[in-house]
Amino acid sequence: MTKMAPELPIEVDSETGIWTSDALPMLYVPRHFFINNHQAIEEELGPERYAEILYKAGYKSAWHWCEKEAELHGLSGVEVFEHYMKRLSQRGWGKFITEAIDLEAGICKVRLEHSAFVYHYGKVNRKIEYMFTGWFAGAMDQILEAQGSALRTVAEQTQSGAEAGHDVGYFVTRPKL
């Protein structure tokens, strides 16, 4: 393994201690802290209900992130989505690779390697990265809106690296019916 310094810009306000990357304030927490909290909520609510809640919150957050980052960096279209995948990958969630994207059709396919959730959970034979699902639809829809399109999407996780026989996860978006 080769180590490197973070590739994303990080600024810390010396007065407030607030971390900022690009246009947004950030939190820096240990992975185990975040995932232990995630697991505790999942145990109380059940994975299906928790996934519904996270989808809505993730969708809203991705929309906001893409809007702010596009504005800050002067990005549009697929550039915004690729910038989002790059930043997600640089922040330790896993490595997100866009395998296919067609904005006009409202579809994309994202592969997830080195998932933080899989590293923590291990092989549990279920899809465990559902937290990310709303992110893809939120990002796609913000980009579509910015381009003047009324098309909206829905996303789902189709495979997880935590499932037997799989080493990576997959997410797809498609137009809402």
Side-chain angles (χ1 to χ4, degrees), residues 23-24 59-69 138 142:
L24 298 169
Y59 179 99
K60 181 179 177 180
S61 296
W63 183 296
H64 180 76
W65 191 95
C66 288
E67 187 173 55
K68 295 298 181 192
E69 288 293 294
Q142 189 284 320

Side-chain angles (χ1 to χ4, degrees), residues 129-150:
E129 297 99 345
Y130 52 82
M131 179 182 161
F132 304 143
T133 307
W135 298 3
F136 305 111
M140 289 284 284
D141 289 0
Q142 189 284 320
I143 296 163
L144 290 165
E145 172 83 14
Q147 293 183 333
S149 173

Side-chain angles (χ1 to χ4, degrees), residues 38 41-54 121 126-128 130:
H38 176 86
I41 297 167
E42 182 182 73
E43 288 170 12
E44 287 295 316
L45 298 178
E48 294 80 18
R49 179 66 184 126
Y50 192 33
E52 291 172 16
I53 294 166
L54 288 175
Y121 279 69
R126 66 183 178 96
K127 293 170 185 68
I128 58 172
Y130 52 82

Side-chain angles (χ1 to χ4, degrees), residues 151-163:
L151 181 66
R152 293 298 175 262
T153 64
V154 63
E156 69 175 317
Q157 183 175 15
T158 59
Q159 176 180 307
S160 173
E163 294 176 300

Side-chain angles (χ1 to χ4, degrees), residues 29 58 117 121 138 172 176:
V29 300
F117 286 95
Y121 279 69
V172 297
K176 252 187 203 178

